[in-house]
Amino acid sequence: MQSPDERHPSTTAVTEVPAPTATPGANPDPLTAGHSLRNEIRIWTRDLLIAIGLALVIIVFLYQPVKVEGTSMMPSLDDQERIFVNKYVYRLEPIQRGDIVVFRYPRDTSKSFIKRVIGLAGDRIRIDSGEVFVNGEALEEDYVPAAYADQRSFSEIVVPVNSYFVLGDHRTMSNDSRDFGPVSIGYIYGKAVFGYWPMDKLGRVR
């Protein structure tokens, strides 16, 4: 923003317009009052329609409401929980370990799955009696309570280029990369970001 030239100062002023004073004993003009009310309603309606339009644009082009079906992401996401998926975020930033992503099921692209990213391209992943190792180090998974863990093992693999190793948080109930392998980035279309129903789950998805 440019500053005003000190040699030629410029100011912007307003002058208060005194409110019209009613003539003692005079009644307000009902036609004027009705016209003012109609104007206010028209302005309010216009602003409401603009707000609804902007909300629809944001939802359609940036966020997609989805319903979680199944228990494989409990306790992070419950069956029938409603969440918003950000469809644009991965155009601006890379997928990171720990993200909860929504993707087309590689074996049937008419279905969508939601899982947590565990391994990135080039990572060495193995699972020993339920404990996940990434590049030889045990992964700390505070999102998997003991009641949801399992004792399943998985031989070490290297995650291919442009692919991700995904697991459900409810390990005993999840069909994930242990079954269908790493997921290509081309199948991933969004990140779970916000839960909105039920109300006790309202907030950012973690």
Side-chain angles (χ1 to χ4, degrees):
M1 181 180 293
Q2 295 181 342
S3 301
D5 189 323
E6 293 182 357
R7 293 171 299 175
H8 300 88
S10 173
T11 59
T12 300
V14 294
T15 302
E16 292 186 3
V17 178
T21 57
T23 304
N27 293 323
D29 184 349
L31 293 177
T32 303
H35 181 71
S36 176
L37 178 60
R38 285 194 297 272
N39 268 347
E40 288 185 15
I41 293 175
R42 187 161 48 245
I43 292 171
W44 183 86
T45 303
R46 180 201 64 190
D47 291 346
L48 178 63
L49 291 175
I50 291 174
I52 293 174
L54 288 175
L56 288 174
V57 168
I58 290 172
I59 291 174
V60 170
F61 291 102
L62 295 181
Y63 294 93
Q64 177 179 340
V66 300
K67 179 175 69 173
V68 177
E69 296 182 350
T71 59
S72 72
M73 285 301 295
M74 290 179 64
S76 300
L77 297 172
D78 294 331
D79 183 31
Q80 304 302 306
E81 183 174 342
R82 267 68 166 180
I83 63 174
F84 280 116
V85 172
N86 189 322
K87 301 187 294 183
Y88 190 76
V89 63
Y90 291 134
R91 298 184 185 184
L92 303 176
E93 62 183 48
I95 297 172
Q96 300 180 37
R97 184 178 294 109
D99 286 357
I100 297 178
V101 297
V102 179
F103 58 93
R104 303 295 179 193
Y105 179 38
R107 293 178 178 173
D108 182 355
T109 55
S110 66
K111 300 177 181 178
S112 290
F113 276 18
I114 182 167
K115 306 291 177 185
R116 190 181 298 273
V117 174
I118 300 300
L120 311 178
D123 283 346
R124 292 181 291 109
I125 306 292
R126 69 179 175 88
I127 304 174
D128 186 4
S129 299
E131 187 170 17
V132 179
F133 291 83
V134 179
N135 299 323
E137 296 186 5
L139 184 65
E140 185 176 340
E141 297 187 286
D142 55 0
Y143 42 80
V144 182
Y148 294 84
D150 65 6
Q151 296 300 308
R152 186 175 174 181
S153 296
F154 185 83
S155 299
E156 182 171 282
I157 67 165
V158 177
V159 182
V161 175
N162 294 324
S163 297
Y164 299 87
F165 192 91
V166 298
L167 295 175
D169 290 353
H170 196 331
R171 297 290 157 81
T172 62
M173 300 294 292
S174 181
N175 176 23
D176 47 42
S177 286
R178 295 172 297 179
D179 304 294
F180 51 77
V183 177
S184 169
I185 192 172
Y187 289 109
I188 298 173
Y189 64 87
K191 176 183 178 181
V193 291
F194 194 84
Y196 66 92
W197 189 263
M199 291 301 293
D200 61 349
K201 296 295 292 286
L202 181 70
R204 187 164 64 91
V205 174
R206 302 177 182 274

